Amino acid sequence: MATDPEADLTAWVEEAGHLLATDPTSAEGLARKVLQRSPRDPRAALILASARRRLGDPSGALAILKPLSRAYPNAVNTLYELGLALDAQGEAAAGIAALRRAVALNPDHADAWGAIGDA
């Protein structure tokens, strides 16, 4: 019985998403695996960017997040990650602007509100 490659990618993305908080290195590895098979997968790109930020590489995260946020300007979680990465890079005003855009699109995004307060 043949396996469904798209189902494999979705499973890898889901697993990577679950790993972000506890093991960003493994999340990064899975996201890269997805991107090897599907280079334009925005889910994997976002996870990769978040992993890079969590691993102390905000400039690496921004290299992914800036084009991703242009391609998906209303993607709340992309804006959230963009805001965190910008703030971590020392661009607080731009980071807050991205976070404010995220909460304007989703007023219930508690993490974005918290990040605004922290910034």
Side-chain angles (χ1 to χ4, degrees), residues 5 7-17 27 30-31 33-34 37 47:
D8 288 345
L9 293 178
T10 298
W12 290 343
V13 167
E14 289 175 3
E15 184 177 350
L30 278 173
K33 191 173 181 179
V34 171
R37 291 194 33 207
I47 290 168

Side-chain angles (χ1 to χ4, degrees), residues 2-70:
T3 61
D4 177 6
E6 186 61 36
D8 288 345
L9 293 178
T10 298
W12 290 343
V13 167
E14 289 175 3
E15 184 177 350
H18 292 300
L19 287 169
L20 266 176
T22 58
D23 188 357
T25 300
S26 293
E28 177 183 14
L30 278 173
R32 288 187 187 281
K33 191 173 181 179
V34 171
L35 290 168
Q36 285 175 345
R37 291 194 33 207
S38 182
R40 294 179 176 253
D41 189 311
R43 306 165 303 169
L46 179 59
I47 290 168
L48 177 59
S50 181
R52 294 307 319 145
R53 179 188 59 77
R54 291 166 192 253
L55 291 168
D57 181 17
S59 64
L62 288 171
I64 299 164
L65 290 165
K66 286 180 178 180
L68 193 62
S69 67
R70 284 190 297 271

